[in-house]
Amino acid sequence: MTMHAGIVLAAGAGTRVGNSRNKVYLPLGGRRIVTWSLELFRQVPGIGRLVLLVRDNDRELVGEILDREFPDVPVDVVTGGDTRHESEYRALLHLADDIRRGEIDIVLVHDAARPLTPVRVVEEVLATAMRTGGAIPALPLEDVAGVDEAGRISESDRTDLIRVQTPQAFRSTQLLAAYEAAAADGFAGTDTASCVERYQGVAVHVVAGDPRNLKVTYADDLFMAELMLAASGYKR
Amino acid sequence: MDNVHIVTLGCHQCHGEHLHEVTYAGRLLASTLCSNCGHRIAKDLPGLRRAYIADVEHRILTKPGRMLRRVIHHPVSFARGLPGALLLKPARMEAELRVLTGRR
């Protein structure tokens, strides 16, 4: 039976200073940030496979977190790479046999640092990817202006800019083929969609993102995320 | 869960990503402190105390269910970890109270 797979990236994308812990293992409303991100996929019908990308030295902690906070759902824990692209490729290699057997239809790739993504966003990228081959959620980038060399506001039209979010969803066979071709080329994309577009010619569609789908980046974001969780009764 | 975590986060005050000390009172976020510029974001203590009391009530009410789940799913690790957890509980409560009284 065909199912969809959710990949959650917690292998430490972004800067980490010294021996500090990855922020996705911070508690938030009684659970770790990464657990909220996994929980998102658990709530979407059809997503029957979960893959979590982690750093090798976080494996023990991740095991404890999953045992305590996510006990009833199988999660494949895979060691990620040094870059987002490499982590995604490792996740796809982990799923490759099932993808080739036709057991996985759509693969969704999500940042673990986005714990509050509404289920509606996942359902929409999933439905769009099933129809078109690829979909990403995004918000219009407002209050943006160009500046010319003299420091004056540019007259150019900036209404076409968007702020891309996750999860991003793609047909599994095309995603795997794109990453295999990229590996053969030595190409490392900065985002999933660009790799699929470049190597598979998939026209990736944009669906409406959500302002609540914040990525925990700044210290302030933690307070905002906790407030939003409290407002929802600590439920998704 | 520990009540102080060291993680790398962005700081709006000094810009860039720096180590931050993130402090919790129980399950509630209490404050963040940037190690680079000292910028501190903290909940006001009276509000934090009110939220903490409500959260403790919730923790007490849900504790039996959470313990039961752990016993069912991981009886060995539960039994092995219980003495340590009991021994550490007073220190944890004391750490939480220090946060709530502004001494941390």
Side-chain angles (χ1 to χ4, degrees), chain A residues 172-187:
Chain A
S172 64
T173 46
Q174 290 175 314
L175 186 60
L176 177 61
Y179 272 69
E180 284 175 335
D185 260 5
F187 171 80

Side-chain angles (χ1 to χ4, degrees), chain B residues 30-48:
Chain B
S31 66
T32 61
L33 178 68
C34 175
S35 66
N36 187 54
C37 69
H39 180 54
R40 185 168 181 269
I41 307 170
K43 288 182 184 162
D44 74 292
L45 282 178
L48 180 61

